[in-house]
Amino acid sequence: MRPVCVIGLGLIGGSVLRAASAAGRQAWGATASTVDADAATVDGYRVESGVDTALQLARERDAIVVVAVPLPALDQTLSAIAVNAPECLLTDVVSVKAPVEMAVRQSAPRTRHIGGHPMAGTSASGWIAGSAGLFKDASWVLTVEDETDLDAWREVAQLVLDCGAQIVPATAAAHDDAVARISHLPHLMAAVLAAVGADGGMLSLALAAGSYTDGTRVAGTRPELVRAMCEGNRGPLLDAVDDALGRLGAARGALASTGSLGATVEAGHRAWQDHTEYRNSRRSQDRIDLSSPDARETLLGLGQRGGRIVGLDGDFALTG
Amino acid sequence: MRPVCVIGLGLIGGSVLRAASAAGRQAWGATASTVDADAATVDGYRVESGVDTALQLARERDAIVVVAVPLPALDQTLSAIAVNAPECLLTDVVSVKAPVEMAVRQSAPRTRHIGGHPMAGTSASGWIAGSAGLFKDASWVLTVEDETDLDAWREVAQLVLDCGAQIVPATAAAHDDAVARISHLPHLMAAVLAAVGADGGMLSLALAAGSYTDGTRVAGTRPELVRAMCEGNRGPLLDAVDDALGRLGAARGALASTGSLGATVEAGHRAWQDHTEYRNSRRSQDRIDLSSPDARETLLGLGQRGGRIVGLDGDFALTG
């Protein structure tokens, strides 16, 4: 098994380091945060003194490099990679994919890069919040583009499976559109809902029960994390916000003119049913031949249908 | 203890009948639903053959009448009250208060009516979904207006306390504004968010994790319940929707022009903190003299500050 070098040891990076180690891989990390570095060392993990040293070791041992730094620290990390491990097998866990793809092409063009995004997390952060089991049964996007090297893809896929997750193949653009709708917009709506509720004063807060508490839960996430995530996906998020403004405006118009919220409430309920059915559905078990010339298309078709890859068997990816 | 007559034996009415009985009160009910009537009878509760009979018994025994029917059935129930128990001590658990107040004045003007709204419930409905413990520690609004008879208020307050809830005093108008913000708007935002997510297709649903699931949970409520609740509070809900449209539109503008979501995300986080602090705060223990001429003002001031009444002691309401 290929060793793993994790740059950034917060919630996600720290959990990758733990999970890769638990899967029996040689693994080490580096981080600019002395708090995280100390905590990881105390927990018995190997933390190199600096990012450069960690990357030089990755080059020596032909490790997969996992970039788990916040988006604003990405460029600096990629520059370090270009110097210390310029041709490494590279993946990342940044929550937006097209901008990362572009940054890699610019700053570390000789790496074999596969973009990744584990759909797991908590509102807590830092090494201390992570665990080897964080990714258990979570969806983990791995990008597939026309030029994707499927040998590299398979190697990163094996690491993702070793972490306990299931792989959803998608283009970087499709990923960014989807997460704008189901992650970034929900954070923005939660912020708006929280503020409109609190504008009603203490009486409103005294009466707030399940619907407000559920609808505002992610407004408890640290603002700088929410901003980095949402602002980093500006174009797709603008589209999603426009859709939400359109639907909320239509509801307003209907309520004011006819007094009916039927269309809005029923569309929402149908969507909720779709999501619930999706979560309870059994997915078909197939094999995708990664050596076939149309493997990329087949992978992307699987992802578009909401399918996942749950295993690898030689040249074959197993769906389920 | 004054007997209790509950009209409507769904989730809330059925739970009031159970809780009042458990508190040692003589209690009976009536409902237009044969399913709920049969289920309550099987569970050992007294269900009269019709609403008229139940109300005649209430008149005989000077019971508190609790109206727990959906808003569309309110007028018919009030007409039955005007005929069979025209001067009864009356409360209701309908989720909107000003329209009920108005309907009572029109249809059953001689009753001593105190509006009520327990902030408890589940997405399930019917007798079968209820329980004697549903209201444990829940907020239960009781309306206070200039003309409120505080003797009647105290009697209804004792029933609410017997059900295990805590009383939040508010005017009907202030209640309706508050629930528009913290209950009706959250249901509408959940519907909008669910639909925008599902518009992204199966890939979006496959990637949906905590923020989408939390933010859309109440979109699973039966659409006719959500519509009845939201459409019945049209004016205040329009104001709350306008506030949400304004804030979401401002976020859109800021993201498009400056790329920053700072103002939106931070306002949402502060509001979340306010709500969390409110929930964790210890409330002051005071006594409000209900026989004092400024008792109504004192009660309303308490509610505006997010305070609750947790007990009664003779002429005094105990806050906490």
Side-chain angles (χ1 to χ4, degrees), chain A residues 119 139 181-182 194 196 199 206-207 214 217 219-220 227 231 234 242 247 252 255-256 259-261 269 271 278, chain B residues 119 139 181 194 196 199 206-207 211 214 217 219-220 227 231 234 242 247 252 255-256 259-261 269 271 278:
Chain A
M119 308 306 293
S139 302
R181 288 173 187 275
I182 52 77
V196 175
D199 284 349
L207 301 188
D214 285 351
R217 199 182 318 274
R227 287 187 59 181
E231 293 169 2
R234 184 170 169 173
D242 283 341
R247 284 186 175 273
R252 201 251 177 247
L255 182 62
S260 167
L261 288 168
H269 190 64
Y278 172 77
Chain B
M119 308 306 291
S139 302
R181 288 173 188 275
V196 175
D199 284 349
L207 300 188
S211 62
D214 284 352
R217 198 182 319 274
R227 288 187 59 181
E231 293 170 2
R234 185 168 167 173
D242 282 341
R247 284 187 176 273
R252 201 251 178 246
L255 182 61
S260 167
L261 288 168
H269 190 65
Y278 171 78

Side-chain angles (χ1 to χ4, degrees), chain B residues 2 5 62-66 85-91 110-114 149 151-156:
Chain B
R2 198 185 275 269
C5 166
D62 202 13
I64 302 182
V65 175
V66 181
E87 295 180 350
C88 69
L89 179 50
L90 178 66
T91 188
R110 288 156 62 209
T111 56
R112 286 166 296 152
H113 175 247
I114 306 295
D149 169 353
D151 288 330
W153 198 87
R154 189 170 38 191
E155 293 247 29
V156 175

Side-chain angles (χ1 to χ4, degrees), chain A residues 3-21:
Chain A
V4 177
C5 166
V6 184
I7 307 300
L9 296 176
L11 171 67
I12 302 292
S15 297
V16 172
L17 181 58
R18 290 178 180 97
S21 301

Side-chain angles (χ1 to χ4, degrees), chain B residues 86-172:
Chain B
E87 295 180 350
C88 69
L89 179 50
L90 178 66
T91 188
D92 70 277
V93 295
V94 178
S95 66
V96 68
K97 299 271 59 76
V100 172
E101 198 80 42
M102 216 156 25
V104 169
R105 273 185 215 168
Q106 222 159 28
S107 302
R110 288 156 62 209
T111 56
R112 286 166 296 152
H113 175 247
I114 306 295
H117 183 203
M119 308 306 291
T122 69
S123 59
S125 53
W127 169 273
I128 203 170
S131 72
L134 184 71
F135 308 113
K136 179 92 183 75
D137 295 332
S139 302
W140 189 317
V141 173
L142 287 185
T143 56
V144 175
E145 312 287 345
D146 288 343
E147 64 278 15
T148 296
D149 169 353
L150 283 183
D151 288 330
W153 198 87
R154 189 170 38 191
E155 293 247 29
V156 175
Q158 188 59 60
L159 173 60
V160 168
L161 295 169
D162 286 353
C163 288
Q166 303 177 341
I167 299 154
V168 178
T171 63

Side-chain angles (χ1 to χ4, degrees), chain B:
Chain B
M1 287 197 293
R2 198 185 275 269
V4 177
C5 166
V6 184
I7 307 299
L9 297 176
L11 171 67
I12 301 293
S15 297
V16 171
L17 182 58
R18 288 179 182 97
S21 302
R25 290 183 188 248
Q26 199 185 48
W28 62 92
T31 172
S33 154
T34 51
V35 173
D36 287 341
D38 291 349
T41 306
V42 166
D43 284 352
Y45 292 90
R46 177 171 176 179
V47 181
E48 295 297 314
S49 58
V51 170
D52 290 347
T53 334
L55 290 170
Q56 284 153 16
L57 192 61
R59 182 186 201 168
E60 263 171 45
R61 303 200 180 161
D62 202 13
I64 302 182
V65 175
V66 181
V67 174
V69 301
L71 194 56
L74 181 67
D75 282 338
Q76 200 184 347
T77 306
L78 290 176
S79 301
I81 289 171
V83 170
N84 298 291
E87 295 180 350
C88 69
L89 179 50
L90 178 66
T91 188
D92 70 277
V93 295
V94 178
S95 66
V96 68
K97 299 271 59 76
V100 172
E101 198 80 42
M102 216 156 25
V104 169
R105 273 185 215 168
Q106 222 159 28
S107 302
R110 288 156 62 209
T111 56
R112 286 166 296 152
H113 175 247
I114 306 295
H117 183 203
M119 308 306 291
T122 69
S123 59
S125 53
W127 169 273
I128 203 170
S131 72
L134 184 71
F135 308 113
K136 179 92 183 75
D137 295 332
S139 302
W140 189 317
V141 173
L142 287 185
T143 56
V144 175
E145 312 287 345
D146 288 343
E147 64 278 15
T148 296
D149 169 353
L150 283 183
D151 288 330
W153 198 87
R154 189 170 38 191
E155 293 247 29
V156 175
Q158 188 59 60
L159 173 60
V160 168
L161 295 169
D162 286 353
C163 288
Q166 303 177 341
I167 299 154
V168 178
T171 63
H175 164 276
D176 291 353
D177 284 345
V179 294
R181 288 173 188 275
I182 53 76
S183 172
H184 305 162
L185 180 66
H187 279 84
L188 216 51
M189 299 272 277
V192 166
L193 186 59
V196 175
D199 284 349
M202 297 303 283
L203 176 64
S204 288
L205 295 185
L207 300 188
S211 62
Y212 181 77
T213 308
D214 284 352
T216 60
R217 198 182 319 274
V218 294
T221 313
R222 276 170 47 212
E224 57 273 30
L225 294 181
V226 177
R227 288 187 59 181
M229 189 171 76
C230 293
E231 293 170 2
N233 197 23
R234 185 168 167 173
L237 181 53
L238 282 172
D239 289 345
V241 172
D242 282 341
D243 283 4
L245 281 167
R247 284 187 176 273
L248 193 57
R252 201 251 178 246
L255 182 61
S257 60
T258 69
S260 167
L261 288 168
T264 303
V265 171
E266 272 147 35
H269 190 65
R270 276 196 307 276
W272 178 89
Q273 284 174 318
D274 287 348
H275 183 220
T276 305
E277 267 165 39
Y278 171 78
R279 292 202 295 174
N280 297 332
S281 65
R282 293 199 145 205
R283 285 179 285 272
S284 63
Q285 299 190 345
D286 272 319
R287 294 162 69 84
I288 296 175
D289 185 351
L290 296 177
S291 65
S292 142
D294 56 2
R296 288 170 195 78
E297 256 176 75
T298 311
L299 286 170
L300 290 174
L302 176 77
Q304 276 159 13
R305 293 192 306 277
R308 295 144 190 256
I309 288 163
V310 297
L312 288 170
D313 177 10
D315 268 350
F316 289 91
L318 313 177
T319 76

